[in-house]
Amino acid sequence: MAAGIADAGRLLRSGETTASALLEEALDTASRTEAQLHAFLTIDSGGAREAAARADADFADGVDLGPLHGIPVALKDNMCTRGVETTAGSQILAGYVPPYDATVVERLRHGGAVIVGKTNLDEFAMGSSTENSAYGPTYNPWDLSRVPGGSSGGSAAAVAAGSALLGLGSDTGGSIRQPASLCGVVGMKPTYGTVSRYGLIAFASSLDQIGPFTRTVEDSALALSTIWGHDPMDSTSHAGEYPDPTAALGRGIDGLTVGMVTELSGEGFEPAVEAATGDMLARLEKAGVGVVEVSLPSFEIALSAYYLIAPAEASSNLARFDGIRYGLRVEGQTTEELMARTRAEGFGPEVIRRILLGTYSLSAGYYDAFYGQAQRVRAAIQEDFARAYDQVDVLVSPTSPTVAFEAGARTSDPLAMYLSDICNIPANLAGHPAISVPIGLDDSGLPIGFQVMAPPLGEQMMYQVAAEVERQAAFVIAPTAVEMAR
Ligand code: GLN
């Protein structure tokens, strides 16, 4: 198997491989691993074979559409694909076939990418384990008794196993970085507003961001350069400059300062995770980076603020699923009864919990005490970040306090599940970019991720540091529980 997107690109252009061969390898891996992993909800082998044949014809004609040309890609199933079922992991959207492509999908197609299929996720991206999918869970390719993380667990598992060289996920409160960490791949959430949300099924619109899962840091930067850019169809789309994410990759990190976040360590963090993080900081210091500890006190209450803001926005976004317009319809005597029955049957328990929490916190009389207060915390987080970035170039932490946990271990304890994203949520609330890079394994052979956060539109420097972390870690993606691409 190609080592990644950049490597496959070289092989494609030198004629050593073809897009069709890369695709067949991906499909073959999927056919050998899907019974154990369940990373995909839909595999579109017909559409993918056509796209691969087109890419090969392009290369034969000397047409080059850029770094994703001919690359097999897996899409989280909350991104609309014209003519291919899109469920968001929910029963309420069973059978929904979008009449249009999300902007990211359009960008992938223009860039000649080959879309292999749609991947599993927690229903409406609510969760940290991919166990909340209405279509059954995904399992971790490093240990089939464990979760892949979530909510983009399907894309993370597919890239780790080699059923795709690029996966797209969405990250509202950690849903790219946490599964990347648990599956031992690179996962990145860009600056809010830089990747269009048009055609992404909305969870919490002020937080949702699409981003890539890849096998290398360079691949992540290459993927970002194709999927990001201004889109008039998304009112929050960034209209200014988009710096070349690959520009600083080879530069080394001598002279930069890295801040380790005090609040993202200690209680709740596994010793193996803390040891690997400390070891990486020591290596970075040796490589010429200044390492300091920085306190961002508001991080302690970020999770609470997130669990008011995200459900509030979700309760509004999910009002459109009423049995009238899309997907499932359960008939009733009156329109109201039809809507109530459709929603009661169509939504799973976690989604219902979020809608109830959100509706409650937005209701008159509680609005200021809950939602208003959470917005003030959000502002405090932004201020803490700004103060920290006066002293340091990037902030770092573990990506997840623990390695992949056992399937079922947190399903009956929502708070334990919510704590999975404690390291990730501040960057969402501030709208900043952040990446997870795999740096090692614990004693049971489970991957550990390292998070690098950067100021808004600081993707170049984030990738510069992430590339050095990757070089120092020399991590090998070889999930032991599944037979990978040969
Ligand atoms: N685990 C978090 C939640 O359940 C984050 C989900 C996400 O980023 N989509 O809300």
Side-chain angles (χ1 to χ4, degrees):
M1 187 182 60
I5 296 169
D7 187 43
R10 278 186 286 274
L11 298 173
L12 283 166
R13 285 165 185 82
S14 67
E16 284 162 89
T17 193
T18 62
S20 300
L22 289 173
L23 172 66
E24 292 310 321
E25 208 172 0
L27 290 173
D28 182 52
T29 304
S31 73
R32 280 182 291 109
T33 57
E34 272 302 284
Q36 297 158 297
L37 294 180
H38 190 228
F40 287 89
L41 293 178
T42 306
I43 293 186
D44 178 20
S45 38
R49 285 190 171 115
E50 274 173 38
R54 225 168 13 248
D56 287 329
D58 284 343
F59 283 124
D61 291 345
V63 177
D64 193 330
L65 299 178
L68 301 186
H69 200 175
I71 301 296
V73 181
L75 297 175
K76 186 177 185 179
D77 201 29
N78 60 355
M79 296 170 209
C80 287
T81 40
R82 189 175 50 227
V84 177
E85 189 181 7
T86 301
T87 66
S90 183
Q91 205 52 54
I92 212 162
L93 277 174
Y96 171 62
V97 178
Y100 72 108
D101 277 331
T103 296
V104 275
V105 176
E106 224 170 65
R107 282 182 165 267
L108 288 174
R109 292 197 205 280
H110 283 152
V114 174
I115 297 169
V116 177
K118 309 294 294 289
T119 58
N120 200 11
L121 68 156
D122 286 300
E123 185 175 0
F124 286 107
M126 297 173 186
S128 310
S129 67
T130 317
E131 292 168 296
N132 293 337
S133 169
Y135 304 97
T138 295
Y139 294 100
N140 191 310
W142 297 78
D143 179 343
L144 297 170
S145 71
R146 292 177 189 258
V147 304
S151 61
S152 318
S155 286
V159 171
S163 314
L165 291 177
L166 168 64
L168 290 192
S170 61
D171 191 314
T172 304
S175 280
I176 294 172
R177 290 160 287 157
Q178 186 259 12
S181 178
L182 272 49
C183 288
V185 294
V186 176
M188 189 268 177
K189 179 199 92 74
T191 302
Y192 181 78
T194 59
V195 178
S196 173
R197 289 182 297 108
Y198 180 70
L200 169 71
I201 295 172
F203 166 7
S205 306
S206 77
L207 301 163
D208 297 342
Q209 254 317 270
I210 293 171
F213 289 96
T214 54
R215 301 175 73 85
T216 71
V217 171
E218 182 190 12
D219 286 358
S220 180
L222 289 172
L224 183 64
S225 68
T226 300
I227 62 171
W228 76 351
H230 180 61
D231 179 15
M233 300 300 279
D234 173 356
S235 63
T236 59
S237 175
H238 170 66
E241 290 281 297
Y242 287 76
D244 175 3
T246 64
L249 274 179
R251 220 178 266 171
I253 52 167
D254 206 14
L256 294 182
T257 307
V258 161
M260 168 66 201
V261 181
T262 313
E263 285 73 15
L264 301 181
S265 64
E267 201 197 326
F269 285 75
E270 286 178 353
V273 170
E274 300 225 281
T277 307
D279 182 53
M280 180 50 66
L281 287 171
R283 285 164 181 270
L284 291 177
E285 209 162 10
K286 259 201 207 138
V289 156
V291 177
V292 295
E293 204 177 301
V294 199
S295 172
L296 293 91
S298 62
F299 277 27
E300 303 272 15
I301 42 175
L303 199 71
S304 315
Y306 171 86
Y307 277 99
L308 286 163
I309 293 167
E313 294 184 15
S315 69
S316 161
N317 273 326
L318 269 54
R320 61 170 66 94
F321 302 105
D322 54 12
I324 307 284
R325 284 171 290 191
Y326 326 91
L328 180 76
R329 171 182 303 205
V330 183
E331 298 295 343
Q333 299 293 319
T334 61
T335 308
E336 195 182 334
E337 198 177 283
L338 178 154
M339 290 181 177
R341 285 190 177 168
T342 300
R343 288 168 68 83
E345 272 191 37
F347 289 137
E350 183 60 28
V351 175
I352 291 175
R353 177 167 23 241
R354 304 287 179 107
I355 293 172
L356 290 173
L357 279 172
T359 307
Y360 184 77
S361 68
L362 287 176
S363 53
Y366 296 111
Y367 182 90
D368 196 57
F370 293 126
Y371 192 73
Q373 185 68 3
Q375 292 290 26
R376 285 188 282 278
V377 172
R378 191 170 189 175
I381 288 167
Q382 257 145 359
E383 285 161 22
D384 273 3
F385 264 121
R387 253 194 305 276
Y389 286 131
D390 281 343
Q391 303 169 47
V392 301
D393 295 299
V394 297
L395 289 165
V396 301
S397 74
T399 306
S400 163
T402 71
V403 296
F405 42 94
E406 290 283 341
R410 299 186 189 174
T411 38
S412 56
D413 185 351
L415 276 183
M417 192 68 92
Y418 296 173
L419 281 166
S420 311
D421 303 300
I422 189 125
C423 303
N424 312 126
I425 278 170
N428 297 89
L429 288 169
H432 296 179
I435 190 168
S436 177
V437 181
I439 55 167
L441 300 173
D442 77 351
D443 285 345
S444 4
L446 295 167
I448 296 169
F450 186 83
Q451 179 175 236
V452 181
M453 296 171 263
L457 294 169
E459 273 82 355
Q460 242 174 40
M461 196 190 295
M462 180 203 69
Y463 278 127
Q464 186 181 350
V465 175
E468 182 63 24
V469 170
E470 177 182 56
R471 208 173 68 80
Q472 293 290 340
F475 184 82
V476 180
I477 304 174
T480 38
V482 287
E483 198 192 340
M484 295 190 19
R486 284 174 273 228

